[in-house]
Amino acid sequence: MGRVFVVGYAYGWHSGYSFCLYEDLTYLSNFYCKTPQKLSMYSWYGSVRLYHFRVPEDSVLVCWHLTVTRGSGSSCGNHNISIYIRSGAPPVINPIDTAFPNETAFLLAYNLTASISSGQNTTIFNVSNPEPGDWFIAAHLPKDNGKIEQKGFSSMCSYFFQPQMFVRRVIDMPILESKAPLLQTVSSPEKPAFLKFFVPDYSTHLIFHVWGCSTEGVEGADCPLIITVGSTSLQPFSVRTVNCTGMTSCAVRLLTPPWETWIRITVESIYVNLTTTFSVSANLTVGCKPKSVGLIGDFLAKLNTNSNCVSGANNSAVVGNTTMSGNTSLMLEPFGNECLRTYSVFKEELDVVSVQFSVIGGPNLIVLTQAPTLIPLDLTSFADTGGTLNLHLKLNQTNMTNGNVSVVACLAAKSPFLALNTTQSCRTAFSQGYSLNLNVTSPKAALRLPFPEAAMWYLTLQVLCPDNASDCANVSSTVMTSVYLSACIDECGTYGECRLLRSYSYLYASCVCKAGWSGWGCTDGSTAQTYARQLVAALLLTLSNLSFIPPIIVALHRCYFAEASVYLFTMFFSTFYHACDQPGVTVMCIMDYDTLQYCDFLGSLTSIWVTILCMSRFKDIYKYTLFMLGALIIAMSMQLDRRGMWNMLGPILFALLVMVLAWVYRGVKRRQCYPTTWKRWVFFLIPGIAIAIIGLCVYVFTETDENYFYTHSIWHIMVASSVVFLLPPREYQKEPWGCSRKFCGYQICKNEKEELYTVT
């Protein structure tokens, strides 16, 4: 934290009102840093690295150092890193230009690109007068090329991203009060004037007025000032700027300013190193406030209207000599005039990023022409910003006779939009609202907001007549409202899966799409796979496992029963694993997906293990001991990391080493090459090894998301075919389909007449 600078105050009287002259403000510095994270190629929102920062109150400058570090190696190229910054919620991004679901409203986050051509690149990004509160930074590499990288077989270059935040804030910022002018000085660029003003609920108009300017060394009463009202959030309309140059006074007018919040006023001079003195005042109009009914009033009555939040349906509470029974139904806040009708809302947290808003007294709202109907929605917690805000409206009942009469709704953050109309957008002082329209021909409307900003949201509704207001003087409508926060849009539909993501302690949700579908809600079918394509992929990946039938038959014919059992196990679980692993609708899972995947990986590696050991031609006692020991070790390694290179190569290389040593031992002992015949090498070993190597190359180097269904099927066929060639011939003393005459020192005798087996 930085050191405290000089601070000084001067108080006095001027022109009949009090003023406070701040000669120097006290600035402090704060520094924040996040741990570097490895960047990924973009394929869905889970590929993004998300960071959360909190900007302190009264911060006047934020400087982000965005550092990208590239690893060393021949595979490291020049990449453009996409970086997104947003205030209040995670960034809404669309780097691959996919379509959003219908009825979805969004503003894409501010983004910048960082190019890296050497070991490290640092981008500095400054924000003056930042919005206090939660800020989010996201980063990712360019779009994924679809190449399936087998772990350990590819040398991918690593890119790491680390954001750092440096904050400059004022600890003694002057507070401007309504109708209480202040005398201020400004000297750009080092000493701008900062003030803040608190706006209470139900404020309708706010005017900031600057006058009485005097600049040292400059004649005249013009105000060489630039006034900025609001805090920067990198979104449209977040600040209001007025240039007062050439005017003796100027004003900034805000209609329905943000409620229950501090507004920043920044004043800068167009002159450099010249001091300008000026007066500033604020005039706030608060209207439509509810009537005061005392400390308790109707609070308990409203509490008891929702039986879910109290135990029992017939609750009552006694306050003094007054009893509030549980069957009271009171919905509206008492209001002193007809300018605003406010409903109370019950917020129920159902799960992570899952919230239900219920209007007390029922979902049906009475909407009139005389005054807007207001519903406040509390989303101030940043934990509520990681999902999707859903709004559904339905016109249930109305006495509309004119076809032009409609119910107009506006959803806005920070402050409600009270001047509803049918022609203009519902934009408030510092944010863009979202409008909906209901009438007898279109009685339903819906709106979805991904990653809503952490703020108070307000839904206003009113019956409007665009032609003649007298036509709908007595028109009223009943509108059913449904407002809730869900993790994903429509649970990502048929071709998507909603996943909960975590960045440090922050939880958010996103859709991961399959079968070629894309978009925020997996509704963009521009690159979707057809049903026929999905069916062909499923059939190829499953039926290609039937190529293990020939190895099973050959193993049984040569009396390799343990090996045949392993091949049968592999064929069964690989078939049903790929039937369950399909991305579209052609899916069949006979058990848990993770179990099927584990058994598939276990069977595949064990099949290679037993085949190589079988080629070593050990005695049965040694062979089956190695079989069992290897199977246990493989089972453990697959549980640790199924896709680890050495977890797969370790047992295979060990088995190859054992086989080579066994062959060398036999060759030295017999003084000839082993296997002894050239036919065995030419017609079996060399073709089998070649087929296995080709299959391995297809598996490691050629698989992509697009060709996976046939390249992986080729891998199945190649591996199974190589086993047919590599399995050694049966021992000379064994008959086809027969058993060993001796087993563990005991002789097995067969009674041909009675078909009985006895052990002697």
Side-chain angles (χ1 to χ4, degrees), residues 453-533:
E453 181 183 354
M456 282 294 299
W457 287 77
Y458 299 91
L459 174 63
T460 51
L461 304 97
Q462 190 174 4
V463 177
L464 294 179
C465 290
D467 297 332
N468 189 358
S470 61
D471 293 342
C472 53
N474 298 318
V475 173
S476 64
S477 301
T478 302
V479 179
M480 186 177 69
T481 61
S482 175
V483 186
Y484 59 93
L485 182 73
S486 62
C488 298
I489 297 178
D490 292 336
E491 296 301 323
C492 302
T494 305
Y495 294 97
E497 179 185 354
C498 185
R499 294 188 181 179
L500 188 65
L501 307 173
R502 182 178 66 88
S503 174
Y504 299 90
S505 61
Y506 178 71
L507 298 176
Y508 57 105
S510 180
C511 291
V512 55
C513 306
K514 52 189 178 183
W517 290 79
S518 59
W520 197 268
C522 299
T523 55
D524 188 345
S526 58
T527 59
Q529 300 176 6
T530 63
Y531 178 78
R533 161 76 160 71

Side-chain angles (χ1 to χ4, degrees), residues 110-396:
Y110 182 89
N111 70 293
L112 52 96
T113 301
S115 300
I116 179 168
S117 57
S118 58
Q120 189 177 85
N121 177 41
T122 299
T123 301
I124 299 177
F125 184 74
N126 297 327
V127 177
S128 301
N129 299 319
E131 180 85 18
D134 303 299
W135 283 73
F136 293 84
I137 297 179
H140 63 79
L141 290 171
K143 180 186 176 182
D144 188 4
N145 56 12
K147 179 71 170 64
I148 299 177
E149 303 286 351
Q150 305 299 336
K151 188 175 180 179
F153 289 94
S154 58
S155 57
M156 292 185 62
C157 186
S158 297
Y159 296 84
F160 292 89
F161 178 73
Q162 182 183 28
Q164 302 176 70
M165 184 177 74
F166 304 90
V167 177
R168 195 71 167 161
R169 63 188 180 94
V170 178
I171 64 172
D172 49 9
M173 186 174 295
I175 297 176
L176 182 63
E177 297 181 359
S178 182
K179 300 179 181 179
L182 292 179
L183 185 64
Q184 296 288 300
T185 61
V186 57
S187 177
S188 296
E190 286 298 323
K191 294 182 179 181
F194 296 108
L195 304 98
K196 60 181 180 178
F197 181 87
F198 185 77
V199 180
D201 284 338
Y202 298 97
S203 300
T204 55
H205 296 85
L206 177 60
I207 301 176
F208 294 106
H209 188 211
V210 173
W211 79 99
C213 301
S214 175
T215 304
E216 60 177 359
V218 178
E219 296 182 357
D222 292 348
C223 290
L225 304 176
I226 298 176
I227 305 174
T228 302
V229 178
S231 301
T232 303
S233 63
L234 301 182
Q235 293 292 327
F237 319 115
S238 62
V239 296
R240 187 79 61 84
T241 302
V242 174
N243 193 337
C244 302
T245 305
M247 296 183 288
T248 57
S249 66
C250 62
V252 181
R253 292 174 173 84
L254 303 178
L255 181 64
T256 315
W259 288 1
E260 203 64 22
T261 187
W262 290 94
I263 291 183
R264 178 83 52 79
I265 305 101
T266 305
V267 182
E268 299 173 291
S269 174
I270 64 172
Y271 296 127
V272 178
N273 297 327
L274 293 181
T275 301
T276 299
T277 304
F278 63 94
S279 299
V280 58
S281 65
N283 190 359
L284 178 67
T285 302
V286 178
C288 302
K289 286 184 64 175
K291 288 182 180 179
S292 176
V293 291
L295 176 62
I296 301 300
D298 61 348
F299 171 73
L300 295 178
K302 292 183 179 181
L303 179 66
N304 288 326
T305 57
N306 194 311
S307 60
N308 292 330
C309 62
V310 290
S311 59
N314 296 319
N315 293 289
S316 63
V318 179
V319 181
N321 297 324
T322 304
T323 301
M324 307 298 292
S325 60
N327 59 5
T328 304
S329 178
L330 186 60
M331 298 178 294
L332 286 173
E333 297 283 358
F335 48 89
N337 49 48
E338 291 292 332
C339 67
L340 187 62
R341 297 167 56 86
T342 305
Y343 281 81
S344 297
V345 177
F346 177 73
K347 179 181 179 181
E348 182 181 6
E349 297 184 3
L350 305 176
D351 204 343
V352 180
V353 291
S354 180
V355 175
Q356 178 72 44
F357 293 96
S358 303
V359 177
I360 295 180
N364 293 320
L365 306 179
I366 299 176
V367 183
L368 305 176
T369 59
Q370 293 86 350
T373 298
L374 177 64
I375 303 175
L377 306 171
D378 187 357
L379 288 173
T380 53
S381 172
F382 89 107
D384 297 334
T385 62
T388 300
L389 182 62
N390 302 270
L391 170 63
H392 295 273
L393 301 177
K394 180 181 179 182
L395 187 62
N396 274 349

